[in-house]
mmCIF file of all heavy atoms in Angstrom:
data_model
loop_
_atom_site.group_PDB
_atom_site.id
_atom_site.type_symbol
_atom_site.label_atom_id
_atom_site.label_comp_id
_atom_site.label_asym_id
_atom_site.label_seq_id
_atom_site.Cartn_x
_atom_site.Cartn_y
_atom_site.Cartn_z
ATOM 1 N N LYS R 137 24.322 33.710 15.758
ATOM 2 C CA LYS R 137 23.885 32.960 16.954
ATOM 3 C C LYS R 137 25.117 32.433 17.759
ATOM 4 O O LYS R 137 24.989 31.904 18.826
ATOM 5 C CB LYS R 137 23.018 31.716 16.484
ATOM 6 C CG LYS R 137 21.636 32.234 15.986
ATOM 7 C CD LYS R 137 20.572 31.231 16.252
ATOM 8 C CE LYS R 137 20.378 30.257 15.147
ATOM 9 N NZ LYS R 137 19.220 29.399 15.307
ATOM 10 N N ARG R 138 26.273 32.468 17.154
ATOM 11 C CA ARG R 138 27.481 32.058 17.903
ATOM 12 C C ARG R 138 27.824 33.113 19.024
ATOM 13 O O ARG R 138 27.439 34.269 18.891
ATOM 14 C CB ARG R 138 28.705 32.075 16.946
ATOM 15 C CG ARG R 138 28.706 30.972 15.958
ATOM 16 C CD ARG R 138 29.863 31.335 14.978
ATOM 17 N NE ARG R 138 30.022 30.372 13.893
ATOM 18 C CZ ARG R 138 30.775 29.252 13.977
ATOM 19 N NH1 ARG R 138 31.505 29.036 15.059
ATOM 20 N NH2 ARG R 138 30.851 28.498 12.967
ATOM 21 N N PRO R 139 28.645 32.707 19.985
ATOM 22 C CA PRO R 139 29.095 33.679 20.974
ATOM 23 C C PRO R 139 29.878 34.751 20.246
ATOM 24 O O PRO R 139 30.603 34.476 19.294
ATOM 25 C CB PRO R 139 30.078 32.867 21.887
ATOM 26 C CG PRO R 139 29.702 31.417 21.624
ATOM 27 C CD PRO R 139 29.149 31.356 20.234
ATOM 28 N N PRO R 140 29.720 36.082 20.635
ATOM 29 C CA PRO R 140 30.316 37.189 19.891
ATOM 30 C C PRO R 140 31.835 36.924 19.546
ATOM 31 O O PRO R 140 32.314 37.259 18.508
ATOM 32 C CB PRO R 140 30.128 38.324 20.798
ATOM 33 C CG PRO R 140 28.847 38.024 21.609
ATOM 34 C CD PRO R 140 28.870 36.544 21.749
ATOM 35 N N ALA R 141 32.568 36.339 20.534
ATOM 36 C CA ALA R 141 34.001 36.183 20.291
ATOM 37 C C ALA R 141 34.293 35.272 19.156
ATOM 38 O O ALA R 141 35.376 35.296 18.546
ATOM 39 C CB ALA R 141 34.648 35.719 21.565
ATOM 40 N N GLN R 142 33.367 34.406 18.840
ATOM 41 C CA GLN R 142 33.624 33.436 17.714
ATOM 42 C C GLN R 142 33.086 33.898 16.361
ATOM 43 O O GLN R 142 33.308 33.257 15.355
ATOM 44 C CB GLN R 142 32.937 32.068 18.058
ATOM 45 C CG GLN R 142 33.583 31.339 19.157
ATOM 46 C CD GLN R 142 32.837 30.021 19.479
ATOM 47 O OE1 GLN R 142 32.058 29.522 18.670
ATOM 48 N NE2 GLN R 142 33.061 29.506 20.643
ATOM 49 N N GLN R 143 32.445 35.071 16.419
ATOM 50 C CA GLN R 143 31.848 35.543 15.093
ATOM 51 C C GLN R 143 32.906 36.212 14.262
ATOM 52 O O GLN R 143 33.824 36.857 14.785
ATOM 53 C CB GLN R 143 30.770 36.571 15.401
ATOM 54 C CG GLN R 143 29.536 35.991 16.041
ATOM 55 C CD GLN R 143 28.492 36.971 16.329
ATOM 56 O OE1 GLN R 143 28.466 38.097 15.891
ATOM 57 N NE2 GLN R 143 27.554 36.652 17.233
ATOM 58 N N ASN R 144 32.883 35.939 13.024
ATOM 59 C CA ASN R 144 33.852 36.528 12.058
ATOM 60 C C ASN R 144 33.282 37.666 11.262
ATOM 61 O O ASN R 144 32.390 37.442 10.335
ATOM 62 C CB ASN R 144 34.380 35.397 11.118
ATOM 63 C CG ASN R 144 35.486 35.864 10.184
ATOM 64 O OD1 ASN R 144 35.458 37.048 9.784
ATOM 65 N ND2 ASN R 144 36.394 34.994 9.913
ATOM 66 N N ALA R 145 33.608 38.877 11.606
ATOM 67 C CA ALA R 145 32.955 40.031 11.068
ATOM 68 C C ALA R 145 33.183 40.197 9.560
ATOM 69 O O ALA R 145 32.331 40.529 8.747
ATOM 70 C CB ALA R 145 33.422 41.278 11.784
ATOM 71 N N ASP R 146 34.472 39.855 9.160
ATOM 72 C CA ASP R 146 34.797 39.965 7.707
ATOM 73 C C ASP R 146 33.927 39.019 6.919
ATOM 74 O O ASP R 146 33.455 39.350 5.802
ATOM 75 C CB ASP R 146 36.244 39.610 7.399
ATOM 76 C CG ASP R 146 37.132 40.759 7.844
ATOM 77 O OD1 ASP R 146 36.601 41.903 7.990
ATOM 78 O OD2 ASP R 146 38.336 40.566 8.043
ATOM 79 N N TRP R 147 33.769 37.801 7.379
ATOM 80 C CA TRP R 147 33.040 36.797 6.674
ATOM 81 C C TRP R 147 31.529 37.171 6.624
ATOM 82 O O TRP R 147 30.931 36.958 5.626
ATOM 83 C CB TRP R 147 33.253 35.452 7.425
ATOM 84 C CG TRP R 147 32.749 34.280 6.698
ATOM 85 C CD1 TRP R 147 33.289 33.601 5.723
ATOM 86 C CD2 TRP R 147 31.480 33.700 6.915
ATOM 87 N NE1 TRP R 147 32.564 32.559 5.288
ATOM 88 C CE2 TRP R 147 31.399 32.600 6.002
ATOM 89 C CE3 TRP R 147 30.384 33.893 7.795
ATOM 90 C CZ2 TRP R 147 30.248 31.802 5.933
ATOM 91 C CZ3 TRP R 147 29.281 33.119 7.740
ATOM 92 C CH2 TRP R 147 29.224 32.054 6.772
ATOM 93 N N MET R 148 31.022 37.706 7.719
ATOM 94 C CA MET R 148 29.615 38.151 7.748
ATOM 95 C C MET R 148 29.401 39.300 6.698
ATOM 96 O O MET R 148 28.408 39.340 5.977
ATOM 97 C CB MET R 148 29.185 38.619 9.128
ATOM 98 C CG MET R 148 28.909 37.428 10.036
ATOM 99 S SD MET R 148 27.924 37.906 11.463
ATOM 100 C CE MET R 148 29.079 38.692 12.484
ATOM 101 N N ARG R 149 30.377 40.172 6.648
ATOM 102 C CA ARG R 149 30.340 41.325 5.739
ATOM 103 C C ARG R 149 30.273 40.746 4.267
ATOM 104 O O ARG R 149 29.507 41.251 3.433
ATOM 105 C CB ARG R 149 31.525 42.322 5.869
ATOM 106 C CG ARG R 149 31.090 43.633 6.401
ATOM 107 C CD ARG R 149 32.186 44.676 6.324
ATOM 108 N NE ARG R 149 33.435 44.210 6.798
ATOM 109 C CZ ARG R 149 33.806 44.264 8.102
ATOM 110 N NH1 ARG R 149 32.990 44.751 9.004
ATOM 111 N NH2 ARG R 149 34.973 43.781 8.495
ATOM 112 N N ARG R 150 31.088 39.782 3.997
ATOM 113 C CA ARG R 150 31.176 39.161 2.725
ATOM 114 C C ARG R 150 29.827 38.594 2.318
ATOM 115 O O ARG R 150 29.249 38.735 1.172
ATOM 116 C CB ARG R 150 32.235 38.031 2.701
ATOM 117 C CG ARG R 150 32.545 37.481 1.334
ATOM 118 C CD ARG R 150 33.671 36.440 1.416
ATOM 119 N NE ARG R 150 33.687 35.660 0.218
ATOM 120 C CZ ARG R 150 34.302 36.076 -0.874
ATOM 121 N NH1 ARG R 150 34.902 37.236 -0.941
ATOM 122 N NH2 ARG R 150 34.274 35.318 -1.974
ATOM 123 N N GLN R 151 29.152 37.898 3.299
ATOM 124 C CA GLN R 151 27.839 37.320 2.966
ATOM 125 C C GLN R 151 26.783 38.485 2.807
ATOM 126 O O GLN R 151 25.953 38.375 1.923
ATOM 127 C CB GLN R 151 27.414 36.385 4.127
ATOM 128 C CG GLN R 151 28.323 35.249 4.398
ATOM 129 C CD GLN R 151 28.659 34.455 3.157
ATOM 130 O OE1 GLN R 151 27.815 34.156 2.313
ATOM 131 N NE2 GLN R 151 29.939 34.002 3.000
ATOM 132 N N MET R 152 26.846 39.522 3.612
ATOM 133 C CA MET R 152 25.888 40.639 3.515
ATOM 134 C C MET R 152 26.053 41.308 2.144
ATOM 135 O O MET R 152 25.123 41.814 1.567
ATOM 136 C CB MET R 152 25.969 41.582 4.628
ATOM 137 C CG MET R 152 25.469 41.030 5.938
ATOM 138 S SD MET R 152 23.803 40.242 5.840
ATOM 139 C CE MET R 152 22.788 41.661 5.551
ATOM 140 N N ASP R 153 27.303 41.386 1.645
ATOM 141 C CA ASP R 153 27.532 42.012 0.310
ATOM 142 C C ASP R 153 26.783 41.219 -0.774
ATOM 143 O O ASP R 153 26.272 41.750 -1.661
ATOM 144 C CB ASP R 153 29.056 42.020 -0.046
ATOM 145 C CG ASP R 153 29.764 43.135 0.791
ATOM 146 O OD1 ASP R 153 29.105 43.953 1.406
ATOM 147 O OD2 ASP R 153 31.045 43.066 0.706
ATOM 148 N N LYS R 154 26.804 39.904 -0.608
ATOM 149 C CA LYS R 154 26.062 39.035 -1.524
ATOM 150 C C LYS R 154 24.541 39.357 -1.443
ATOM 151 O O LYS R 154 23.818 39.356 -2.514
ATOM 152 C CB LYS R 154 26.303 37.554 -1.244
ATOM 153 C CG LYS R 154 27.743 37.132 -1.412
ATOM 154 C CD LYS R 154 27.823 35.589 -1.098
ATOM 155 C CE LYS R 154 29.224 35.123 -0.833
ATOM 156 N NZ LYS R 154 30.253 35.284 -1.889
ATOM 157 N N VAL R 155 24.029 39.498 -0.252
ATOM 158 C CA VAL R 155 22.670 39.773 -0.061
ATOM 159 C C VAL R 155 22.321 41.081 -0.761
ATOM 160 O O VAL R 155 21.357 41.166 -1.542
ATOM 161 C CB VAL R 155 22.235 39.861 1.408
ATOM 162 C CG1 VAL R 155 20.843 40.306 1.657
ATOM 163 C CG2 VAL R 155 22.463 38.445 2.114
ATOM 164 N N ARG R 156 23.091 42.076 -0.526
ATOM 165 C CA ARG R 156 22.799 43.458 -1.094
ATOM 166 C C ARG R 156 22.900 43.470 -2.600
ATOM 167 O O ARG R 156 22.094 44.021 -3.359
ATOM 168 C CB ARG R 156 23.716 44.506 -0.504
ATOM 169 C CG ARG R 156 23.458 44.751 0.934
ATOM 170 C CD ARG R 156 23.734 46.109 1.439
ATOM 171 N NE ARG R 156 23.119 46.199 2.787
ATOM 172 C CZ ARG R 156 23.747 45.765 3.868
ATOM 173 N NH1 ARG R 156 24.912 45.113 3.790
ATOM 174 N NH2 ARG R 156 23.145 45.834 5.104
ATOM 175 N N ALA R 157 24.024 42.779 -3.089
ATOM 176 C CA ALA R 157 24.222 42.705 -4.558
ATOM 177 C C ALA R 157 23.087 41.875 -5.224
ATOM 178 O O ALA R 157 22.589 42.254 -6.304
ATOM 179 C CB ALA R 157 25.577 42.094 -4.891
ATOM 180 N N GLY R 158 22.636 40.826 -4.560
ATOM 181 C CA GLY R 158 21.496 40.033 -5.064
ATOM 182 C C GLY R 158 20.304 40.833 -5.126
ATOM 183 O O GLY R 158 19.509 40.780 -6.139
ATOM 184 N N LEU R 159 19.953 41.606 -4.095
ATOM 185 C CA LEU R 159 18.811 42.414 -4.066
ATOM 186 C C LEU R 159 18.819 43.515 -5.226
ATOM 187 O O LEU R 159 17.794 43.669 -5.893
ATOM 188 C CB LEU R 159 18.661 43.149 -2.711
ATOM 189 C CG LEU R 159 18.131 42.341 -1.490
ATOM 190 C CD1 LEU R 159 18.390 43.170 -0.258
ATOM 191 C CD2 LEU R 159 16.664 42.050 -1.720
ATOM 192 N N LYS R 160 19.936 44.103 -5.399
ATOM 193 C CA LYS R 160 20.063 45.084 -6.464
ATOM 194 C C LYS R 160 19.859 44.419 -7.876
ATOM 195 O O LYS R 160 19.104 44.955 -8.714
ATOM 196 C CB LYS R 160 21.420 45.776 -6.416
ATOM 197 C CG LYS R 160 21.555 46.785 -7.596
ATOM 198 C CD LYS R 160 22.711 47.719 -7.480
ATOM 199 C CE LYS R 160 22.737 48.724 -8.517
ATOM 200 N NZ LYS R 160 22.137 48.466 -9.773
#
Side-chain angles (χ1 to χ4, degrees):
K137 290 213 271 189
R138 290 170 180 269
Q142 287 178 21
Q143 293 177 16
N144 184 326
D146 283 343
W147 189 84
M148 283 199 282
R149 247 190 313 275
R150 187 176 166 84
Q151 302 308 321
M152 287 314 289
D153 285 349
K154 295 181 202 297
V155 171
R156 293 212 169 78
L159 281 167
K160 178 169 184 333

